[in-house]
Amino acid sequence: MPRPRTAGGDRADLVIVESPAKAKTIERYLGPGYRVLASYGHVRDLPAKALGVDLDHDFAPRYEPLKDRRRELEKLATEARQSDQVWLATDLDREGESIAWHIAEYAGLTDDQIRRVTFNEITKGAIDAAFAHPRSINLDLVNAQQARRVIDRLVGYKLSPLVASKIRRGLSAGRVQSVAVRLVVDREREIAAFVTEEYWTLAAELRRADAGATFTAELSRIDGAKARIGSEAEARLHEEALRGERFVVESVTRSERRKSAPPPFTTSTLQQEASRKLGFGASRTMRAAQSLYEGIALAEGQVGLITYMRTDSVAIASGAVAEARQVIDSRYGEAFVPKRPNTYRTRTRGAQEAHEAIRPSNFARTPDAVRDQLKPDEFRLYELIWKRALASQMAPARFDQVGVDVAAGRYTLHAGAAKRVFDGYQAVYIEGRDDEEDERLSVLPDLNQGEALDLQSLASEQHFTQPPPRYTEATLIKALEEHGIGRPSTYAPTMETIRKRGYVTVEDRRLHPTESAERVTDLLVEHFPEVVDLDFTARMEEQLDDVARGTNAWVPMVRGFWEPFNEKLVEGRTKIAKQVELTDIVCPVSGDFMVKRFGRNGWFLGCSAYPECKHTMPLPGEEPETPPDMPGVGEVCPLCGQGHLVARRGRYGPFVGCDRYPECRYIKKDATAPSEQFGTCPKCGLGTVVTKRSRRGGRPFWGCDRYPECDFSTWTRPGGAVTAGPASDGDGTDAAAPSADGAGRARGRRRSPRRRRRGSQPVSDRSHG
């Protein structure tokens, strides 16, 4: 147990952790004599606007305090210099070790001052044990994290500009990110190339000859071979043939199946299961897990509810196993406690297994006991973790299985059933499935070999083979883990990065690659194959693990990557062609030819004189539809006197502006599309109900054209005759959407759909890149 210490008789030892919540929890356990401060996560990094790696001197990194952490770092350094002992209690992974080193290095602490402590859970017992056995900073772990950071910076800082210059601005590449994107792109192309095949199944409803219960058997073999029916005509032939056959029970097999409990959660399996069962994304899962780990205010004080949440281990400490077995015995009975504790080994490639699996810090603290103290996400995740960890130490579930083969001439039909006879771990927890199919249990009547059966009906059903499903966040993380790519701390940030960079869109929780993703992947596969090669990336992770174990030096490892990579960079700058295509269309602004370019929103035409001329146009045939009768179209621009007014469509709908944009930014303020009219306003009886669009998102609604004198509005499209009326006063768009009852008051100023941020383009939101 830690004993209070003072320096010079009046100074407490300094303890540094990563988060304020964690600091509050630990300070409660340590008591007087210790001052606990938080670093708020990382404190230093490579410079934001420079490479920060000395390529001529063994890749020496140049670290700078993070802009929003400078004040905390200075405070920590000042307090640390004034303390005889500094207990660095940052997280127990490589990142935590690196943060501890950065603080010590920045503050200029000596080895005699540093006490490095780690713990897998924030409980009094774990804190006491950690402070009783301090150690020095593990420089092997620090070097492994430093090597990872340097390589990631070299890839991102050197390769991203090349990708952006050849395809479009704003694109980037990353060591793990680009592999994840490639997996999504490859899966999409696999789906596109998939050739659907038709097949049919036949099912017979059969009854015992003594008029017992009916059951269904499916055609499984024809002439002893697996049944394959490829067309309706073929299905009908077999159906007719079966109707003339005699059905007899050929064999009955009975067996017991035991299904063992799943292992406790690792970081990736927690993210996968939270996605399946709770609908959480990886980042949302980790935010809730972080809160549960760092501490929740309970009646007994600030308490950490789960063990460390960044881990690839499936092991549980012996003390926690004993505690789980006691809870199982008291809640479910002795039969649910296996004779020997369940043990697990991870099959994940490159797993470090240095820590425990994710489990409750106290199995006796049930989800219901802490429900009122937790936020909804925290409770749902804690319940998931508690049930999975408890189930991992329970007896297997047992099933009685019956299989029946029915002979009918040259045909064999099969029926199977399973009945759970002992719940085992399934009394607490059943795993989610990516295919969203539940395990179905069924029952068959008692049947005997040689028994005759009566055919009640035959049914044929058409099916089509299905392509592999698109990735979800959960299945993509699973694929990365299976290939040994990334580590527990990188999965959630990788998912967030590929979404924010516009490489994937999410529809019904499935990841769809964008055209940007496909173009970047093709460029990298052709010119930098090692960056997106699964095996190469996995081998690099293994080399980083060797650095962490102290069996490999980090500088030679980085050099082995950088030298061939840099050669390809130099070659690529000249050999990789920019993805533009010259056209014979003349730019109306500069007179130069337009080129076909790829931008954030797809292909468009841009002036070949860019950046001197920034004029853009949609591709021929892809011009957005605009009402032909908008007022002002064809007139000379009143601002510049050179251009002419044209109808265009922006993010808020159609508008009229100068065709010399961006040189002339004139927008005609009173030009809008004609509004549909839906009769007299039911509220004021004076105005007319017209179509409008909400400012946020452009969703259509219907309101009185006398706004703001009359505030009638509704989301429901009015019935009755529709007529085309004149443009509504203003812009036809109110600042607020209608309320739920259809007559909410529109608040605030009206805002023109033509209004845009400075520098934006009304014609196209695309850059030349």
Side-chain angles (χ1 to χ4, degrees):
M1 176 176 179
R3 293 175 295 179
R5 292 178 47 87
T6 59
D10 60 357
R11 282 206 305 253
D13 281 1
L14 178 64
V15 180
I16 298 177
V17 298
E18 290 188 39
S19 76
K22 191 174 174 183
K24 186 176 179 181
T25 308
I26 292 174
E27 194 163 39
R28 170 175 170 261
Y29 292 137
L30 291 177
Y34 293 90
R35 174 170 164 76
V36 185
L37 297 177
S39 71
Y40 294 86
H42 288 276
V43 293
R44 294 199 307 176
D45 197 5
L46 299 172
K49 297 184 178 180
L51 179 62
V53 177
D54 191 338
L55 300 176
D56 298 323
H57 296 88
D58 290 338
F59 307 99
R62 176 170 60 85
Y63 293 111
E64 295 179 351
L66 293 173
K67 186 177 180 180
D68 56 349
R69 294 288 182 269
R70 187 180 299 274
R71 181 178 299 178
E72 286 82 5
L73 182 56
E74 289 291 348
K75 180 180 179 181
L76 292 175
T78 300
E79 293 283 347
R81 295 183 192 111
Q82 296 173 358
S83 302
D84 285 348
Q85 289 189 354
V86 179
W87 301 77
L88 299 170
T90 49
D91 289 347
L92 67 163
D93 56 7
R94 295 175 191 173
E95 287 189 77
E97 203 75 18
S98 179
I99 292 171
W101 176 82
H102 276 290
I103 293 171
E105 203 269 345
Y106 185 83
L109 302 182
T110 65
D111 291 342
D112 291 338
Q113 288 178 280
I114 296 171
R115 300 288 184 275
R116 174 75 171 119
V117 290
T118 59
F119 32 83
N120 189 51
E121 61 187 35
I122 305 177
T123 59
K124 183 168 179 54
I127 300 301
D128 288 349
F131 276 71
H133 300 91
R135 59 171 174 81
S136 59
I137 293 175
N138 186 331
L139 293 179
D140 292 329
L141 293 178
V142 174
N143 286 335
Q145 181 62 24
Q146 184 164 261
R148 177 189 294 276
R149 187 70 191 94
V150 167
I151 290 174
D152 288 348
R153 171 54 64 95
L154 293 175
V155 173
Y157 205 84
K158 294 292 187 179
L159 185 54
S160 294
L162 179 62
V163 170
S165 69
K166 302 302 181 181
I167 302 178
R168 73 163 176 83
R169 286 186 301 177
L171 295 178
S172 65
R175 190 178 56 85
V176 176
Q177 144 195 336
S178 295
V179 176
V181 171
R182 180 184 182 178
L183 286 172
V184 177
V185 169
D186 286 351
R187 176 58 57 87
E188 191 70 20
R189 289 174 174 172
E190 189 178 353
I191 293 171
F194 184 83
V195 179
T196 298
E197 294 182 4
E198 179 185 10
Y199 70 96
W200 287 71
T201 56
L202 279 175
E205 185 181 3
L206 303 171
R207 184 192 295 272
R208 296 181 58 175
D210 59 2
T214 63
F215 67 98
T216 300
E218 288 196 359
L219 179 64
S220 60
R221 295 192 298 277
I222 302 174
D223 294 329
K226 183 177 179 180
R228 298 180 184 277
I229 304 174
S231 66
E232 182 178 9
E234 190 178 351
R236 296 288 176 255
L237 289 174
H238 291 300
E239 190 175 330
E240 287 302 316
L242 276 167
R243 293 185 189 280
E245 297 292 350
R246 179 170 175 266
F247 292 80
V248 178
V249 176
E250 185 177 60
S251 65
V252 179
T253 57
R254 293 180 172 85
S255 62
E256 180 183 83
R257 178 170 66 93
R258 298 165 66 91
K259 188 171 183 180
S260 298
F265 284 129
T266 63
T267 301
S268 68
T269 56
L270 174 63
Q271 292 169 347
Q272 293 165 40
E273 195 75 336
S275 174
R276 299 183 192 107
K277 285 182 169 286
L278 308 180
F280 287 6
S283 296
R284 184 178 176 184
T285 298
M286 296 310 289
R287 282 195 300 270
Q290 186 87 30
S291 297
L292 294 171
Y293 168 68
E294 291 177 347
I296 300 295
L298 304 180
E300 60 199 272
Q302 195 84 1
V303 177
L305 295 185
I306 65 170
T307 54
Y308 191 55
M309 64 285 165
R310 294 187 184 93
T311 177
D312 50 21
S313 172
V314 290
I316 294 182
S318 58
V321 169
E323 185 181 90
R325 290 168 67 87
Q326 290 176 359
V327 172
I328 295 166
D329 188 18
S330 63
R331 290 176 67 93
Y332 300 98
E334 184 179 354
F336 288 80
V337 183
K339 292 182 179 180
R340 289 186 297 274
N342 296 334
T343 58
Y344 301 91
R345 291 193 63 184
T346 183
R347 293 183 174 88
T348 302
R349 179 176 175 180
Q352 299 169 47
E353 297 196 85
H355 319 307
E356 277 193 78
I358 303 170
R359 62 166 175 84
S361 58
N362 184 346
F363 278 97
R365 193 176 288 116
T366 65
D368 287 338
V370 295
R371 178 194 289 265
D372 293 341
Q373 286 75 42
L374 299 180
K375 297 176 182 177
D377 279 8
E378 294 169 350
F379 171 76
R380 296 175 70 193
L381 195 68
Y382 181 69
E383 183 179 45
L384 191 70
I385 292 169
W386 186 88
K387 287 183 175 181
R388 174 77 168 237
L390 192 71
S392 74
Q393 293 305 313
M394 295 178 71
R398 296 199 305 272
F399 301 84
D400 280 347
Q401 294 190 146
V402 179
V404 176
D405 283 339
V406 177
R410 58 189 287 234
Y411 301 101
T412 302
L413 296 88
H414 180 80
K419 179 181 179 182
R420 188 165 55 214
V421 294
F422 177 67
D423 287 342
Y425 78 91
Q426 292 191 352
V428 176
Y429 187 86
I430 297 178
E431 284 184 282
R433 296 164 62 97
D434 289 320
D435 56 13
E436 299 179 356
E437 291 183 2
D438 297 326
E439 183 176 35
R440 290 181 171 82
L441 304 181
S442 56
V443 177
L444 287 175
D446 289 332
L447 298 169
N448 299 305
Q449 185 174 359
E451 183 175 353
L453 301 170
D454 293 336
L455 176 66
Q456 302 297 302
S457 63
L458 273 173
S460 56
E461 186 176 358
Q462 183 185 38
H463 306 271
F464 293 94
T465 55
Q466 297 297 314
R470 292 181 175 89
Y471 286 110
T472 62
E473 273 197 8
T475 55
L476 181 56
I477 289 172
K478 183 178 180 181
L480 290 172
E481 184 184 39
E482 288 174 346
H483 286 97
I485 295 167
R487 286 296 177 259
S489 62
T490 65
Y491 298 134
T494 299
M495 298 300 107
E496 191 169 0
T497 295
I498 64 176
R499 285 198 312 271
K500 286 186 174 180
R501 299 279 170 84
Y503 288 122
V504 298
T505 58
V506 183
E507 300 175 21
D508 295 327
R509 294 172 57 192
R510 299 285 175 178
L511 302 179
H512 296 250
T514 62
E515 188 171 359
S516 295
E518 296 186 11
R519 293 195 163 274
V520 171
T521 296
D522 289 341
L523 184 147
L524 294 178
V525 168
E526 181 178 356
H527 300 284
F528 300 90
E530 67 282 351
V531 173
V532 288
D533 180 75
L534 297 175
D535 290 335
F536 178 87
T537 306
R539 286 195 301 272
M540 183 172 290
E541 294 289 355
E542 292 170 357
Q543 291 173 353
L544 290 169
D545 292 344
D546 290 338
V547 174
R549 287 188 287 263
T551 58
N552 192 10
W554 78 273
V555 171
M557 181 250 171
V558 173
R559 181 175 287 113
F561 165 78
W562 168 248
E563 290 180 349
F565 177 70
N566 187 46
E567 290 177 3
K568 291 189 176 182
L569 277 174
V570 173
E571 181 180 308
R573 291 188 185 103
T574 56
K575 287 193 174 182
I576 301 176
K578 191 167 185 177
Q579 296 189 8
V580 297
E581 178 183 332
L582 187 65
T583 71
D584 57 1
I585 300 173
V586 177
C587 174
V589 176
S590 69
D592 292 290
F593 286 110
M594 304 290 281
V595 293
K596 183 179 177 182
R597 299 181 185 271
F598 183 72
R600 185 177 301 276
N601 296 316
W603 290 99
F604 69 103
L605 293 176
C607 183
S608 59
Y610 179 86
E612 288 74 21
C613 177
K614 299 180 180 179
H615 184 69
T616 63
M617 298 165 52
L619 294 178
E622 296 185 7
E623 296 85 355
E625 293 183 6
T626 54
D629 52 352
M630 293 181 68
V633 172
E635 296 177 2
V636 175
C637 175
L639 181 61
C640 68
Q642 301 177 39
H644 291 80
L645 301 187
V646 294
R648 290 176 171 167
R649 182 175 293 275
R651 62 182 298 186
Y652 294 113
F655 66 96
V656 173
C658 181
D659 63 3
R660 294 185 64 248
Y661 179 88
E663 285 70 25
C664 177
R665 297 176 179 271
Y666 176 76
I667 300 291
K668 188 173 178 62
K669 293 183 178 180
D670 57 350
T672 61
S675 298
E676 290 180 314
Q677 297 184 350
F678 294 86
T680 304
C681 172
K683 185 172 184 179
C684 69
L686 300 174
T688 301
V689 177
V690 296
T691 303
K692 304 186 178 187
R693 289 189 178 273
S694 59
R695 185 173 65 193
R696 295 183 179 179
R699 179 182 174 184
F701 68 98
W702 292 265
C704 182
D705 63 0
R706 293 183 63 247
Y707 175 87
E709 287 77 15
C710 176
D711 62 5
F712 171 77
S713 61
T714 176
W715 286 123
T716 305
R717 180 184 177 92
V722 179
T723 61
S728 61
D729 60 327
D731 54 27
T733 303
D734 287 345
S739 65
D741 64 4
R745 182 171 182 176
R747 298 181 298 274
R749 299 176 57 218
R750 293 192 178 189
R751 182 179 177 183
S752 169
R754 300 178 301 277
R755 187 170 296 169
R756 64 193 189 282
R757 292 171 295 182
R758 181 171 296 179
S760 65
Q761 299 185 35
V763 176
S764 168
D765 185 25
R766 301 162 178 162
S767 63
H768 284 279

Short mmCIF file of all heavy atoms in Angstrom, two decimals, residues 222-255:
data_model
loop_
_atom_site.label_atom_id
_atom_site.label_comp_id
_atom_site.label_asym_id
_atom_site.label_seq_id
_atom_site.Cartn_x
_atom_site.Cartn_y
_atom_site.Cartn_z
N ILE A 222 -29.70 -36.17 -54.91
CA ILE A 222 -30.35 -36.83 -56.04
C ILE A 222 -29.37 -37.86 -56.58
O ILE A 222 -28.25 -37.53 -56.97
CB ILE A 222 -30.72 -35.83 -57.16
CG1 ILE A 222 -31.64 -34.73 -56.62
CG2 ILE A 222 -31.38 -36.54 -58.34
CD1 ILE A 222 -31.93 -33.63 -57.63
N ASP A 223 -29.80 -39.13 -56.58
CA ASP A 223 -28.92 -40.24 -56.99
C ASP A 223 -27.62 -40.23 -56.19
O ASP A 223 -26.53 -40.49 -56.72
CB ASP A 223 -28.61 -40.16 -58.49
CG ASP A 223 -29.86 -40.39 -59.35
OD1 ASP A 223 -30.74 -41.15 -58.91
OD2 ASP A 223 -29.94 -39.78 -60.44
N GLY A 224 -27.70 -39.89 -54.94
CA GLY A 224 -26.54 -39.92 -54.05
C GLY A 224 -25.65 -38.69 -54.10
O GLY A 224 -24.75 -38.54 -53.27
N ALA A 225 -25.86 -37.82 -55.08
CA ALA A 225 -25.05 -36.60 -55.20
C ALA A 225 -25.84 -35.41 -54.66
O ALA A 225 -27.08 -35.42 -54.62
CB ALA A 225 -24.66 -36.37 -56.65
N LYS A 226 -25.11 -34.35 -54.26
CA LYS A 226 -25.76 -33.16 -53.73
C LYS A 226 -26.74 -32.59 -54.74
O LYS A 226 -26.45 -32.48 -55.92
CB LYS A 226 -24.71 -32.10 -53.38
CG LYS A 226 -25.30 -30.85 -52.74
CD LYS A 226 -24.21 -29.87 -52.36
CE LYS A 226 -24.83 -28.62 -51.74
NZ LYS A 226 -23.78 -27.62 -51.35
N ALA A 227 -27.92 -32.28 -54.26
CA ALA A 227 -28.98 -31.77 -55.15
C ALA A 227 -28.62 -30.38 -55.66
O ALA A 227 -28.32 -29.48 -54.87
CB ALA A 227 -30.30 -31.74 -54.41
N ARG A 228 -28.64 -30.22 -56.98
CA ARG A 228 -28.40 -28.93 -57.61
C ARG A 228 -29.47 -28.71 -58.66
O ARG A 228 -29.50 -29.41 -59.68
CB ARG A 228 -27.01 -28.87 -58.25
CG ARG A 228 -25.87 -29.04 -57.25
CD ARG A 228 -24.53 -28.96 -57.95
NE ARG A 228 -23.41 -29.20 -57.04
CZ ARG A 228 -22.86 -28.30 -56.26
NH1 ARG A 228 -23.33 -27.05 -56.28
NH2 ARG A 228 -21.86 -28.59 -55.47
N ILE A 229 -30.35 -27.76 -58.41
CA ILE A 229 -31.46 -27.47 -59.32
C ILE A 229 -31.30 -26.03 -59.80
O ILE A 229 -31.34 -25.09 -58.99
CB ILE A 229 -32.82 -27.66 -58.62
CG1 ILE A 229 -32.91 -29.08 -58.04
CG2 ILE A 229 -33.96 -27.39 -59.59
CD1 ILE A 229 -34.16 -29.31 -57.22
N GLY A 230 -31.11 -25.85 -61.11
CA GLY A 230 -30.75 -24.54 -61.63
C GLY A 230 -31.85 -23.76 -62.29
O GLY A 230 -31.63 -22.62 -62.70
N SER A 231 -33.06 -24.35 -62.43
CA SER A 231 -34.12 -23.63 -63.13
C SER A 231 -35.47 -24.07 -62.61
O SER A 231 -35.62 -25.13 -61.98
CB SER A 231 -34.04 -23.86 -64.63
OG SER A 231 -34.33 -25.22 -64.93
N GLU A 232 -36.49 -23.25 -62.92
CA GLU A 232 -37.85 -23.59 -62.49
C GLU A 232 -38.33 -24.85 -63.19
O GLU A 232 -38.99 -25.70 -62.59
CB GLU A 232 -38.79 -22.42 -62.78
CG GLU A 232 -40.21 -22.68 -62.33
CD GLU A 232 -41.12 -21.49 -62.58
OE1 GLU A 232 -40.68 -20.53 -63.26
OE2 GLU A 232 -42.28 -21.52 -62.10
N ALA A 233 -37.98 -24.97 -64.48
CA ALA A 233 -38.42 -26.15 -65.23
C ALA A 233 -37.85 -27.43 -64.60
O ALA A 233 -38.56 -28.43 -64.46
CB ALA A 233 -37.97 -26.03 -66.68
N GLU A 234 -36.60 -27.38 -64.23
CA GLU A 234 -35.98 -28.54 -63.59
C GLU A 234 -36.63 -28.83 -62.24
O GLU A 234 -36.84 -29.98 -61.87
CB GLU A 234 -34.48 -28.27 -63.42
CG GLU A 234 -33.67 -29.48 -63.00
CD GLU A 234 -32.19 -29.17 -62.88
OE1 GLU A 234 -31.79 -28.04 -63.28
OE2 GLU A 234 -31.44 -30.02 -62.36
N ALA A 235 -36.94 -27.76 -61.50
CA ALA A 235 -37.59 -27.93 -60.21
C ALA A 235 -38.95 -28.61 -60.36
O ALA A 235 -39.32 -29.48 -59.57
CB ALA A 235 -37.73 -26.57 -59.51
N ARG A 236 -39.69 -28.18 -61.38
CA ARG A 236 -41.02 -28.77 -61.60
C ARG A 236 -40.91 -30.26 -61.95
O ARG A 236 -41.75 -31.08 -61.53
CB ARG A 236 -41.74 -28.02 -62.72
CG ARG A 236 -42.03 -26.56 -62.40
CD ARG A 236 -43.12 -26.42 -61.37
NE ARG A 236 -43.33 -25.02 -61.01
CZ ARG A 236 -42.94 -24.47 -59.87
NH1 ARG A 236 -42.30 -25.22 -58.97
NH2 ARG A 236 -43.17 -23.21 -59.61
N LEU A 237 -39.90 -30.65 -62.74
CA LEU A 237 -39.71 -32.06 -63.08
C LEU A 237 -39.46 -32.91 -61.83
O LEU A 237 -40.06 -33.97 -61.65
CB LEU A 237 -38.55 -32.21 -64.07
CG LEU A 237 -38.78 -31.71 -65.50
CD1 LEU A 237 -37.49 -31.80 -66.31
CD2 LEU A 237 -39.88 -32.55 -66.17
N HIS A 238 -38.57 -32.41 -60.96
CA HIS A 238 -38.28 -33.17 -59.74
C HIS A 238 -39.49 -33.19 -58.81
O HIS A 238 -39.74 -34.18 -58.12
CB HIS A 238 -37.08 -32.54 -59.02
CG HIS A 238 -35.78 -32.73 -59.75
ND1 HIS A 238 -35.26 -33.96 -60.05
CD2 HIS A 238 -34.89 -31.82 -60.25
CE1 HIS A 238 -34.11 -33.82 -60.69
NE2 HIS A 238 -33.86 -32.53 -60.83
N GLU A 239 -40.23 -32.09 -58.81
CA GLU A 239 -41.42 -32.02 -57.95
C GLU A 239 -42.43 -33.08 -58.39
O GLU A 239 -43.01 -33.79 -57.55
CB GLU A 239 -42.01 -30.61 -58.04
CG GLU A 239 -43.10 -30.34 -57.04
CD GLU A 239 -43.57 -28.89 -57.10
OE1 GLU A 239 -42.75 -28.01 -57.45
OE2 GLU A 239 -44.76 -28.64 -56.79
N GLU A 240 -42.66 -33.17 -59.69
CA GLU A 240 -43.60 -34.17 -60.20
C GLU A 240 -43.13 -35.59 -59.91
O GLU A 240 -43.93 -36.47 -59.56
CB GLU A 240 -43.81 -33.97 -61.70
CG GLU A 240 -44.63 -32.75 -62.07
CD GLU A 240 -46.01 -32.78 -61.42
OE1 GLU A 240 -46.65 -33.85 -61.43
OE2 GLU A 240 -46.44 -31.74 -60.88
N ALA A 241 -41.82 -35.80 -60.04
CA ALA A 241 -41.29 -37.13 -59.78
C ALA A 241 -41.45 -37.51 -58.31
O ALA A 241 -41.79 -38.66 -57.98
CB ALA A 241 -39.81 -37.18 -60.17
N LEU A 242 -41.25 -36.55 -57.42
CA LEU A 242 -41.38 -36.84 -55.99
C LEU A 242 -42.80 -37.18 -55.60
O LEU A 242 -43.03 -37.98 -54.68
CB LEU A 242 -40.89 -35.63 -55.18
CG LEU A 242 -39.39 -35.53 -54.94
CD1 LEU A 242 -39.00 -34.15 -54.42
CD2 LEU A 242 -38.94 -36.61 -53.94
N ARG A 243 -43.76 -36.58 -56.27
CA ARG A 243 -45.16 -36.84 -55.92
C ARG A 243 -45.53 -38.31 -56.13
O ARG A 243 -46.47 -38.82 -55.50
CB ARG A 243 -46.09 -35.95 -56.74
CG ARG A 243 -45.97 -34.47 -56.39
CD ARG A 243 -47.00 -33.64 -57.14
NE ARG A 243 -46.76 -32.21 -56.96
CZ ARG A 243 -47.11 -31.52 -55.88
NH1 ARG A 243 -47.73 -32.15 -54.88
NH2 ARG A 243 -46.85 -30.24 -55.79
N GLY A 244 -44.81 -38.99 -56.99
CA GLY A 244 -45.11 -40.39 -57.24
C GLY A 244 -44.28 -41.35 -56.42
O GLY A 244 -44.35 -42.57 -56.63
N GLU A 245 -43.43 -40.86 -55.52
CA GLU A 245 -42.56 -41.72 -54.74
C GLU A 245 -43.16 -42.05 -53.37
O GLU A 245 -44.04 -41.34 -52.87
CB GLU A 245 -41.19 -41.05 -54.55
CG GLU A 245 -40.43 -40.82 -55.84
CD GLU A 245 -39.96 -42.11 -56.50
OE1 GLU A 245 -40.07 -43.19 -55.87
OE2 GLU A 245 -39.51 -42.05 -57.66
N ARG A 246 -42.62 -43.10 -52.76
CA ARG A 246 -42.99 -43.50 -51.39
C ARG A 246 -41.91 -42.98 -50.44
O ARG A 246 -40.73 -43.15 -50.69
CB ARG A 246 -43.08 -45.02 -51.31
CG ARG A 246 -43.44 -45.56 -49.93
CD ARG A 246 -43.75 -47.05 -50.04
NE ARG A 246 -43.97 -47.63 -48.73
CZ ARG A 246 -43.02 -48.23 -47.99
NH1 ARG A 246 -41.79 -48.35 -48.49
NH2 ARG A 246 -43.30 -48.75 -46.81
N PHE A 247 -42.32 -42.32 -49.37
CA PHE A 247 -41.39 -41.68 -48.44
C PHE A 247 -41.19 -42.57 -47.21
O PHE A 247 -42.18 -42.95 -46.53
CB PHE A 247 -41.91 -40.31 -48.01
CG PHE A 247 -41.93 -39.30 -49.12
CD1 PHE A 247 -42.96 -39.30 -50.06
CD2 PHE A 247 -40.91 -38.37 -49.25
CE1 PHE A 247 -42.97 -38.37 -51.11
CE2 PHE A 247 -40.92 -37.43 -50.28
CZ PHE A 247 -41.95 -37.44 -51.21
N VAL A 248 -39.92 -42.92 -46.94
CA VAL A 248 -39.59 -43.81 -45.83
C VAL A 248 -38.41 -43.24 -45.06
O VAL A 248 -37.45 -42.74 -45.67
CB VAL A 248 -39.24 -45.23 -46.34
CG1 VAL A 248 -38.86 -46.15 -45.18
CG2 VAL A 248 -40.40 -45.82 -47.12
N VAL A 249 -38.46 -43.32 -43.73
CA VAL A 249 -37.35 -42.85 -42.90
C VAL A 249 -36.15 -43.76 -43.14
O VAL A 249 -36.21 -44.96 -42.85
CB VAL A 249 -37.72 -42.82 -41.40
CG1 VAL A 249 -36.52 -42.42 -40.56
CG2 VAL A 249 -38.88 -41.86 -41.16
N GLU A 250 -35.09 -43.21 -43.69
CA GLU A 250 -33.90 -44.00 -44.01
C GLU A 250 -32.97 -44.13 -42.82
O GLU A 250 -32.41 -45.19 -42.56
CB GLU A 250 -33.17 -43.34 -45.18
CG GLU A 250 -31.98 -44.13 -45.68
CD GLU A 250 -31.34 -43.47 -46.89
OE1 GLU A 250 -30.89 -42.31 -46.77
OE2 GLU A 250 -31.31 -44.12 -47.96
N SER A 251 -32.80 -43.05 -42.07
CA SER A 251 -31.91 -43.10 -40.90
C SER A 251 -32.29 -41.98 -39.93
O SER A 251 -32.81 -40.94 -40.33
CB SER A 251 -30.45 -42.96 -41.31
OG SER A 251 -30.22 -41.68 -41.87
N VAL A 252 -32.00 -42.22 -38.65
CA VAL A 252 -32.21 -41.23 -37.60
C VAL A 252 -30.93 -41.19 -36.76
O VAL A 252 -30.49 -42.23 -36.26
CB VAL A 252 -33.42 -41.58 -36.70
CG1 VAL A 252 -33.57 -40.53 -35.60
CG2 VAL A 252 -34.69 -41.69 -37.53
N THR A 253 -30.32 -40.03 -36.66
CA THR A 253 -29.10 -39.88 -35.85
C THR A 253 -29.37 -38.88 -34.73
O THR A 253 -29.96 -37.82 -34.95
CB THR A 253 -27.92 -39.38 -36.70
OG1 THR A 253 -28.27 -38.14 -37.32
CG2 THR A 253 -27.56 -40.39 -37.78
N ARG A 254 -28.93 -39.28 -33.53
CA ARG A 254 -29.08 -38.40 -32.37
C ARG A 254 -27.71 -38.16 -31.76
O ARG A 254 -26.89 -39.08 -31.67
CB ARG A 254 -30.02 -39.02 -31.35
CG ARG A 254 -31.47 -39.12 -31.82
CD ARG A 254 -32.37 -39.74 -30.76
NE ARG A 254 -33.77 -39.67 -31.14
CZ ARG A 254 -34.37 -40.57 -31.91
NH1 ARG A 254 -33.69 -41.60 -32.37
NH2 ARG A 254 -35.66 -40.42 -32.21
N SER A 255 -27.48 -36.91 -31.35
CA SER A 255 -26.18 -36.58 -30.74
C SER A 255 -26.35 -35.39 -29.80
O SER A 255 -27.36 -34.68 -29.85
CB SER A 255 -25.15 -36.24 -31.82
OG SER A 255 -25.56 -35.10 -32.55
#
